[in-house]
Amino acid sequence: MKQTKAYSAASANSLLAMDTIERRETSAHDVQIEILYCGICHSDLHTVRNEWSEIMATTYPCVPGHEIVGRVTEVGSSVTNFKAGDRVGVGCMVDSDHVCDNCQADVEQFCPNVIFTYNSPDKHLGGVTYGGYSESIIVDEKFVLRAPENLDLAGVAPLLCAGITTYSPIRRWGDIKGKKVGVVGLGGLGHMGVKFARAFGAHVVVFTTSPGKKEDALRLGAHEVIISTDADDMQKHAGTFHFILDTISAEHDINAYIGMLGLDGNITLVGAPDKPLPVSAFALLFGRKSISGSLIGGIRETQEMLDFCGEHNITADVEVIPIQQVNEAYERMVRSDVKYRFSIDMATLKSA
Ligand code: NAP
Ligand code: ZN
């Protein structure tokens, strides 16, 4: 076992702080990765603060981080797809059973035995898995992604979660060219949703509670911006949307957005508030509307998304921070003050 520096939370009320964790030895199918950047996802914060206790309680100490990019430092004897020096990524999953119907269908995120990158049972060392707020990670080669050579790694890191989580439902919804597509919430997920919806030719409209983000939304690719607290502005667009991606991390009135959909329109939730959201049956009945959910994406689709980003020069807009500022970054995330993803420069952990 190898001792590795990491940032962990000791309890739901603790700040993240310097810690030492153990990583397993590199076995035949493993890839050892030196972590260069790790994005900060709102799911990290939900987990650290045990906000999802009713669905998946947090085991402490908790080392979050599932937007990982780095360089391969060592590969196991059976690994043929990667070699030392490769630029790679690891997202929200590090293993699955490989045999179930969902694994066979390339949607490992729905495998009953999926192992998430943090806070999942660790079959190698016992306890739970530890994520990317650390110097290094060892991952089965099937869960290692290739980072496009032409993209800046700090901006690639958030693609591993925020990127795939928005790319997957947008692709699944089919041809959106020329259609009116809404993205609700301009944070880490939302700003990637805007970039992808625009890249696939939609007429993109951002719903935001933050008037100060209007200019940025347009720069990121939106054609229009609606301030969701402005009832008149909302009313003007009622019944006109083909598809809406809802990325809000907290309780909100989803019926207001269902009201924006046109006939057969769909709203897909990717945001994961801890409390249930009441849905008005009538809001769905009139207009035969639907509501769906979506969870990250499979490994094959994640690689497809990364390759797409390489071809179209798409990365996240990041504010690079030293790991010592992670607790302050969490507070800013709660205040919706992120432009538009924090990416931790992991070299700052080495020197800590
Ligand atoms: P984020 O960067 O904090 O962005 C969330 C945005 O939602 C904020 O910037 C804000 O946008 C809006 N918002 C926040 N609180 C709000 C409130 N009370 N009312 C209305 N709008 C509010 O978070 P993120 O990393 O994008 O994650 C968003 C959610 O997706 C989290 O719940 C996260 O756990 C979840 N998630 C799900 C998946 C999945 O697979 N389904 C994957 C990753 C993350 P404005 O300032 O523009 O209003
Ligand atoms: Zn995430």
Side-chain angles (χ1 to χ4, degrees):
M1 280 185 299
K2 296 169 189 157
Q3 302 284 307
T4 307
K5 282 188 196 173
Y7 256 54
S8 74
S11 76
N13 306 314
S14 309
L15 294 177
L16 287 149
M18 185 73 164
D19 196 357
T20 303
I21 57 166
E22 281 169 351
R23 294 292 192 196
R24 65 177 185 264
E25 295 295 333
T26 313
S27 62
H29 293 284
D30 283 341
V31 175
Q32 185 191 69
I33 301 160
E34 177 198 6
I35 301 174
L36 299 176
Y37 293 95
C38 186
I40 298 181
C41 178
H42 207 113
S43 304
D44 300 353
L45 185 152
H46 288 305
T47 306
V48 162
R49 300 187 178 177
N50 204 12
E51 291 174 353
W52 291 335
S53 57
E54 285 167 28
I55 298 104
M56 36 185 164
T58 305
T59 301
Y60 296 94
C62 172
V63 179
H66 57 204
E67 294 186 334
I68 299 168
V69 291
R71 246 175 226 295
V72 174
T73 43
E74 189 178 277
V75 296
S77 54
S78 303
V79 173
T80 52
N81 285 333
F82 298 97
K83 59 177 189 325
D86 286 355
R87 288 155 49 104
V88 293
V90 177
C92 302
M93 304 177 277
V94 287
D95 209 352
S96 68
D97 66 22
H98 308 295
V99 294
C100 72
D101 289 349
N102 293 340
C103 284
Q104 297 297 313
D106 290 314
V107 283
E108 301 88 353
Q109 72 272 34
F110 304 122
C111 169
N113 298 304
V114 64
I115 305 292
F116 292 111
T117 305
Y118 56 80
N119 200 42
S120 258
D122 184 336
K123 69 180 183 197
H124 302 274
L125 298 179
V128 291
T129 50
Y130 293 137
Y133 297 8
S134 60
E135 286 178 298
S136 66
I137 191 164
I138 293 160
V139 181
D140 184 292
E141 60 174 329
K142 289 202 177 71
F143 288 82
V144 179
L145 286 308
R146 213 163 262 293
E149 287 298 325
N150 57 320
L151 300 179
D152 171 44
L153 282 183
V156 169
L159 301 179
L160 276 304
C161 176
I164 184 59
T165 301
T166 50
Y167 179 93
S168 183
I170 287 172
R171 292 309 284 152
R172 195 174 152 69
W173 202 245
D175 188 5
I176 56 168
K177 205 168 167 45
K179 304 264 175 65
K180 193 167 170 183
V181 167
V183 176
V184 188
L186 196 66
L189 266 56
H191 94 291
M192 290 311 306
V194 169
K195 291 187 185 206
F196 288 131
R198 179 71 190 236
F200 290 114
H203 179 86
V204 185
V205 183
V206 164
F207 293 91
T208 180
T209 59
S210 308
K213 293 181 182 174
K214 190 169 179 178
E215 291 308 311
D216 282 345
L218 297 171
R219 176 181 57 77
L220 290 163
H223 296 90
E224 295 180 70
V225 180
I226 299 174
I227 307 303
S228 52
T229 48
D230 180 336
D232 290 343
D233 210 7
M234 290 288 274
Q235 189 50 42
K236 270 185 238 156
H237 292 263
T240 63
F241 282 81
H242 172 70
F243 176 70
I244 296 177
L245 189 66
D246 182 346
T247 77
I248 297 180
S249 51
E251 274 178 88
H252 60 287
D253 177 16
I254 190 177
N255 300 303
Y257 298 101
I258 296 173
M260 296 292 118
L261 294 171
L263 181 64
D264 288 328
N266 170 270
I267 180 164
T268 294
L269 298 184
V270 285
D274 53 342
K275 302 257 172 13
L277 302 172
V279 174
S280 154
F282 283 97
L284 292 173
L285 302 185
F286 284 94
R288 208 164 49 193
K289 300 165 186 178
S290 63
I291 174 169
S292 318
S294 191
L295 182 74
I296 48 175
I299 292 297
R300 197 169 76 167
E301 192 176 35
T302 306
Q303 190 62 62
E304 174 192 306
M305 177 274 310
L306 287 168
D307 295 345
F308 180 86
C309 289
E311 279 160 36
H312 295 83
N313 244 317
I314 294 174
T315 51
D317 284 34
V318 290
E319 181 175 337
V320 177
I321 58 160
I323 191 137
Q324 291 78 6
Q325 283 176 19
V326 68
N327 293 303
E328 194 186 322
Y330 274 33
E331 287 311 316
R332 283 181 54 193
M333 189 153 63
V334 171
R335 297 197 302 267
S336 300
D337 175 24
V338 187
K339 288 177 178 167
Y340 278 84
R341 196 57 138 189
F342 291 112
S343 186
I344 308 169
D345 176 357
M346 297 309 302
T348 58
L349 176 60
K350 277 210 182 65
S351 57

